[in-house]
Amino acid sequence: PATALEPQARALLDGPIGERPQEEVTRNLDRLQVDWAGRQLGWLIDGDMLLVNNRFQIAAFNLQTGQRAWQTTPPEGKKVPRSRDWSLVSMTPRVFGNRVYGRLLYGDGPLLGCWDATNGQLVWLADQLPGVHVASDPWFVQDRLIALTVTRTEGPEVLLRLATFDAFTGDLLAHTDLVQLRASWYARHCCETN
């Protein structure tokens, strides 16, 4: 039979959340009571650690104690965007070896970064060319760090590419053009289905 569940607070995710969290970027999220903050969380369990990415920081929590082990700091010199930019797009971190890879929403769009898994110290932040953003979570395929990127073109389209990055430095090693998308995809910064 159905029974009531009683939620229990186990840990606190505090720290950077972006600018102007009350400002609605995607229409009707407030009217439809969409849990935009919850939908924008990406998380991963790795051994006895829970990694949580709210798009402005990655925090690691010990699953046994509930205590936060570490959290990343905002990258220096990067513009802090609105909390609801790239609405409803979660950014799930990945662990490979003793490193955590993930995206953070700073500057004009998502940036790819790498942190030490033991203490959360920044190892590298991939500085992309202007108009290039990491559009997918990073993945390791055959020990290669890959992600989808979008690039603005001179025309009314954006180019979706499969990019390969150096896992040790964040340098872009290669990219393969996949498809051209209408520029309206780029301007909306949200996740939608038709």
Side-chain angles (χ1 to χ4, degrees), residues 6 37-38 60 65 67 85 90-91 93 99 121 128 147 162 190 192:
E6 194 170 315
T65 66
Q67 298 296 311
D85 280 351
S90 65
M91 299 183 183
R99 300 285 167 90
Q121 292 297 310
Q128 301 301 318
L162 177 64
C190 67
E192 289 185 348

Side-chain angles (χ1 to χ4, degrees), residues 72-100:
T72 61
T73 57
E76 292 182 24
K78 300 291 184 188
K79 178 183 89 173
V80 180
R82 296 174 294 187
S83 292
R84 299 193 199 192
D85 280 351
W86 291 69
S87 290
L88 308 181
V89 176
S90 65
M91 299 183 183
T92 304
R94 305 281 182 236
V95 175
F96 191 74
N98 63 347
R99 300 285 167 90
V100 175

Side-chain angles (χ1 to χ4, degrees), residues 124-145:
W124 54 256
L125 191 63
D127 289 325
Q128 301 301 318
L129 299 172
V132 177
H133 298 100
V134 181
S136 76
D137 293 322
W139 289 95
F140 276 90
V141 176
Q142 297 177 348
D143 294 337
R144 300 181 78 151
L145 178 61

Side-chain angles (χ1 to χ4, degrees), residues 13-130:
L13 178 64
D14 57 358
I17 61 167
E19 296 291 322
R20 305 186 306 269
Q22 286 73 29
E23 186 175 316
E24 189 172 54
V25 174
T26 303
R27 291 185 318 240
N28 298 322
L29 291 185
D30 290 338
R31 184 179 67 80
L32 298 173
Q33 299 179 347
V34 173
D35 178 15
W36 61 270
R39 293 274 306 272
Q40 292 176 178
L41 286 177
W43 58 274
L44 172 77
I45 293 176
D46 181 57
D48 63 350
M49 298 298 282
L50 169 66
L51 296 166
V52 180
N53 184 347
N54 73 349
R55 304 165 350 129
F56 298 95
Q57 68 171 317
I58 298 174
F61 296 91
N62 183 301
L63 289 173
Q64 301 300 318
T65 66
Q67 298 296 311
R68 183 174 55 216
W70 54 260
Q71 73 185 85
T72 61
T73 57
E76 292 182 24
K78 300 291 184 188
K79 178 183 89 173
V80 180
R82 296 174 294 187
S83 292
R84 299 193 199 192
D85 280 351
W86 291 69
S87 290
L88 308 181
V89 176
S90 65
M91 299 183 183
T92 304
R94 305 281 182 236
V95 175
F96 191 74
N98 63 347
R99 300 285 167 90
V100 175
Y101 298 85
R103 295 182 294 163
L104 292 180
L105 190 56
Y106 285 95
D108 294 325
L111 300 171
L112 182 63
C114 174
W115 296 266
D116 186 304
T118 60
N119 59 19
Q121 292 297 310
L122 180 66
V123 176
W124 54 256
L125 191 63
D127 289 325
Q128 301 301 318
L129 299 172

